[in-house]
Amino acid sequence: MPWNRPARDDFRRPRTVRLPYTDRAEAGRVLAERLAPLGLDGAAVLALPRGGVPVGHEIARRLGSRLDVLVTRKIGYPPQPELGVGAIAEGGAPVFDAGLLARLGLREDDLASTVAAERAELDRRVAAYRGGRRLPDVAGRPVVVVDDGLATGGTARAAVRAMRERGPSRLVLAVPVGAAETVRSLETEADDVVVPAAPWEFSAVGQWYRDFEQLTDDDVIAWLDRAARAAGEGPEPT
């Protein structure tokens, strides 16, 4: 079911979304139409790379905003790295799944070397995507955090919390599709959670897209360059 939780809990009538999306660009256009009425003038649109960037491109274009990235990394369980036990976002502290850590018999300190390795990769990606530019100053501005889907929601949670620390006037989490339980678990993290489709039967983000190709660093840079050219902008000062 579609999910849109405005800040004052004035729930809106759900609108049908046809799944699967053709690709991330179509998903971004659908999402952008849900965001347009929210009055997000001057918003910073921050996409989680890699998959969130094509989605964010459509949103930034619709809102007349600049597109940038907010880099995140999953913190994996060392014997099984694909199992996420937490996440980090640039400028933020690690966010762990306390319940999962307890079930695995782990403490946060046990993951210090894993966190250090993920921070190093995060820093590499920041340098690749943004060069010497800093994150935009979002204090007193609306911020839209964008990804292409929510499965467990770990990276989205880390991203939203990192942005909350920077004092935006309004914090929006916008995702084309997400597992219903995950969407509900994130509704207290942002002022608005905008997810046009939140199915209860959810195994992977890619099942909700016909074209879900894996993106590279070069793809991310190309999308950011395209967005900057479309907006007629040069690089922000370092």
Side-chain angles (χ1 to χ4, degrees):
M1 62 176 289
W3 184 258
N4 185 345
R5 189 191 64 83
R8 292 182 301 277
D9 292 327
D10 50 332
F11 288 92
R12 297 171 184 173
R13 184 181 300 278
R15 285 167 285 176
T16 301
V17 177
R18 180 177 297 176
L19 295 174
Y21 294 111
T22 301
D23 54 19
R24 293 180 179 94
E26 184 201 25
R29 289 191 291 272
V30 170
L31 191 51
E33 290 306 312
R34 301 293 176 93
L35 293 167
L38 298 185
L40 298 169
D41 295 341
V45 177
L46 300 177
L48 306 192
R50 300 181 175 109
V53 176
V55 180
H57 177 267
E58 298 297 329
I59 292 170
R61 184 167 63 174
R62 179 68 173 82
L63 298 182
S65 297
R66 185 185 179 107
L67 174 66
D68 211 327
V69 290
L70 174 60
V71 183
T72 58
R73 292 292 297 170
K74 179 175 71 175
I75 300 169
Y77 176 45
Q80 189 181 343
E82 65 274 15
L83 176 60
V85 295
I88 52 173
E90 56 178 308
V95 176
F96 292 100
D97 183 331
L100 182 54
L101 288 184
R103 290 195 295 275
L104 294 170
L106 288 174
R107 299 172 303 172
E108 294 181 10
D109 290 348
D110 296 330
L111 296 163
S113 61
T114 302
V115 172
E118 295 301 343
R119 280 200 186 278
E121 174 60 16
L122 186 151
D123 291 343
R124 184 198 69 79
R125 293 195 183 198
V126 169
Y129 302 154
R130 200 183 294 118
R133 288 189 294 111
R134 298 185 298 269
L135 270 170
D137 182 5
V138 301
R141 297 172 59 190
V143 173
V144 184
V145 175
V146 182
D147 205 357
D148 59 2
L150 292 171
T152 64
T155 54
R157 191 181 308 274
V160 168
R161 290 187 182 181
M163 283 297 100
R164 180 69 79 188
E165 292 295 317
R166 293 173 175 262
S169 61
R170 186 175 185 182
L171 182 55
V172 180
L173 175 62
V175 184
V177 61
E181 289 186 7
T182 300
V183 173
R184 289 185 180 275
S185 75
L186 287 165
E187 65 177 350
T188 59
E189 300 281 353
D191 299 316
D192 300 86
V193 176
V194 182
V195 184
W200 288 99
E201 300 278 339
F202 196 105
S203 59
V205 173
Q207 77 183 103
W208 307 107
Y209 291 84
R210 290 194 181 93
D211 179 357
F212 196 68
E213 65 174 339
Q214 296 302 303
L215 303 180
T216 66
D217 287 351
D218 288 342
D219 292 326
V220 171
I221 293 166
W223 277 106
L224 293 174
D225 287 347
R226 183 183 309 173
R229 289 195 303 271
E233 297 175 336
E236 290 184 343
T238 60

